[in-house]
Amino acid sequence: MTRLLVLYSGGTIGMDHTPEGLAPVPGLLPRLLQRFRTPALDFDVLEYPQLIDSSAIVPAQWQQLLDDLIARYADYDGFVVIHGTDTMAYTASVLAFALQGLAKPVIVTGSQLPLVHPRSDGWSNLADALEAASQPDLHEVCIAFNRLLLRGCRARKLDAASFAGFASPNAPALASFGIQAQWQRQHWLAATADFTPVKLDVSLKLATFFLTPGHASTLAGQIMQAGELDGAVLMSYGNGNTPADPALLAGVAALTATGGAVLNISQVVHGAVEVGAYAASQPLARAGAVAGADLTPEAATAKLLVLLSQGLRGESLRQQLATPLRGESS
Ligand code: ASP
């Protein structure tokens, strides 16, 4: 018998029609979940007192999820986190980096239509998440959505208008669910060392800058020079190119000099930052920005948060940022 813990944080999947519009209804989802019990599958449900629209999530709620999962880690074979889709890829990425040495499946899921809708995608997403969370040789955080199992720190919400809400543009799916589940075990992470989860420092100040032609690069540089930030993600063009804007470069150098880091990732969905592919990528690298390869914005934010929370600064922070830790980059 497999025993799972389902942590229910909110999102569309458990919402119902109220006079104000769709809103989470306490108790609804735990009741609907009962149909998934079988002689081979038992689970407990932890419903949070404040069910949220995931657009409202803050790092303290990530820490709450981590605390609950860690406290019950030994008691269950796997975990399912039910979550809104808007920030699902951020939460999956934070869990992936913070649950260092994870040796059990943690599957995050939700839906585009609530379970009470006749055409809800939530039923199949839940079924696939529960099945994935029952695989003893899956040692990572994944998103189960639209009949795919994706690495959590590779996944992105790329579609708000169809059931195919998530994809992992730079990595293959870890499974697909048809009449048979097709487990792509050759892509799964190997089990690692001891389970040593990281406590988040929720006071850290991080920012993400999406460059656009015009004043954006100067403004980003000025904010980085102001000394408020612990780290930043810079979403540059193409293979990691930026204008050689003196304010931007001074900002990157200033933030790097404080021991923080600027992680350079691409705005482009497919492909990677490759320093040297174009001369326009060099000034930023010389100023100290770390090349983030094909990291998603969600994974870049989560990796920076978790590594800074571990107390890494300066060269050791930069070195870990550039090293794939959980299969998050190529
Ligand atoms: N706004 C919702 C949320 O992220 C969307 C969803 O769940 O699909 O909580």
Side-chain angles (χ1 to χ4, degrees):
M1 153 95 68
T2 301
R3 273 182 56 74
L4 305 180
L5 178 65
V6 178
L7 301 114
Y8 171 35
S9 68
T12 296
I13 189 166
M15 293 188 185
D16 202 353
H17 301 279
T18 71
E20 312 266 276
L22 279 176
V25 176
L28 175 65
L29 186 130
R31 200 164 61 246
L32 295 174
L33 268 180
Q34 297 311 315
R35 70 161 64 174
F36 289 102
R37 281 188 199 287
T38 68
L41 177 65
D42 187 22
F43 54 83
D44 294 321
V45 184
L46 171 58
E47 178 181 86
Y48 285 95
Q50 288 295 318
L51 296 170
I52 58 165
D53 186 298
S54 76
S55 55
I57 203 155
V58 293
Q61 281 152 324
W62 288 329
Q63 188 57 51
Q64 184 66 56
L65 270 177
L66 286 165
D67 287 343
D68 291 327
L69 213 146
I70 294 161
R72 295 162 178 83
Y73 186 70
D75 303 336
Y76 295 95
D77 301 306
F79 301 85
V80 171
V81 177
I82 298 179
H83 198 284
T85 58
D86 287 350
T87 56
M88 186 182 288
Y90 287 94
T91 297
S93 295
V94 169
L95 295 179
F97 290 110
L99 294 171
Q100 199 168 255
L102 180 69
K104 297 185 179 188
V106 175
I107 314 297
V108 189
T109 197
S111 68
Q112 302 280 47
L113 285 177
L115 288 171
V116 295
H117 191 288
R119 282 186 287 102
S120 178
D121 51 330
W123 297 108
S124 51
N125 290 347
L126 284 172
D128 297 343
L130 290 165
E131 191 168 345
S134 305
Q135 304 305 307
D137 50 344
L138 184 60
H139 313 291
E140 53 183 301
V141 179
C142 304
I143 287 182
F145 216 88
N146 192 42
R147 316 262 65 165
L148 292 175
L149 187 69
L150 306 170
R151 176 161 298 147
C153 55
R154 287 288 207 165
R156 301 203 65 195
K157 182 174 180 179
L158 292 180
D159 196 332
S162 85
F163 290 137
F166 288 81
S168 56
N170 291 302
L174 304 185
S176 57
F177 302 93
I179 290 176
Q180 303 287 336
Q182 305 284 343
W183 304 108
Q184 305 297 335
R185 289 191 158 79
Q186 71 278 17
H187 299 310
W188 295 9
L189 292 182
T192 50
D194 296 342
F195 185 51
T196 51
V198 177
K199 190 164 179 62
L200 301 179
D201 177 350
V202 300
S203 70
L204 287 166
K205 290 200 181 119
L206 307 181
T208 297
F209 300 105
F210 189 103
L211 290 190
T212 53
H215 292 295
S217 56
T218 303
L219 288 172
Q222 287 168 349
I223 296 169
M224 286 191 268
Q225 278 188 79
E228 289 265 314
L229 295 177
D230 297 294
V233 176
L234 187 64
M235 295 184 66
S236 59
Y237 306 122
N239 294 117
N241 308 316
T242 63
D245 177 333
L248 176 69
L249 300 176
V252 171
L255 183 44
T256 305
T258 65
V262 180
L263 189 49
N264 178 22
I265 63 169
S266 179
Q267 299 179 7
V268 180
V269 173
H270 287 272
V273 167
E274 291 171 38
V275 175
Y278 291 88
S281 65
Q282 298 283 12
L284 196 66
R286 277 198 292 270
V290 179
D294 53 2
L295 275 175
T296 64
E298 296 86 346
T301 307
K303 192 172 181 180
L304 201 48
L305 172 66
V306 172
L307 294 181
L308 284 165
S309 295
Q310 284 179 280
L312 293 175
R313 294 292 183 276
E315 197 43 46
S316 52
L317 171 64
R318 293 158 44 73
Q319 193 256 325
Q320 284 291 94
L321 281 171
T323 306
L325 303 175
R326 307 279 189 278
E328 72 276 17
S329 57
S330 306

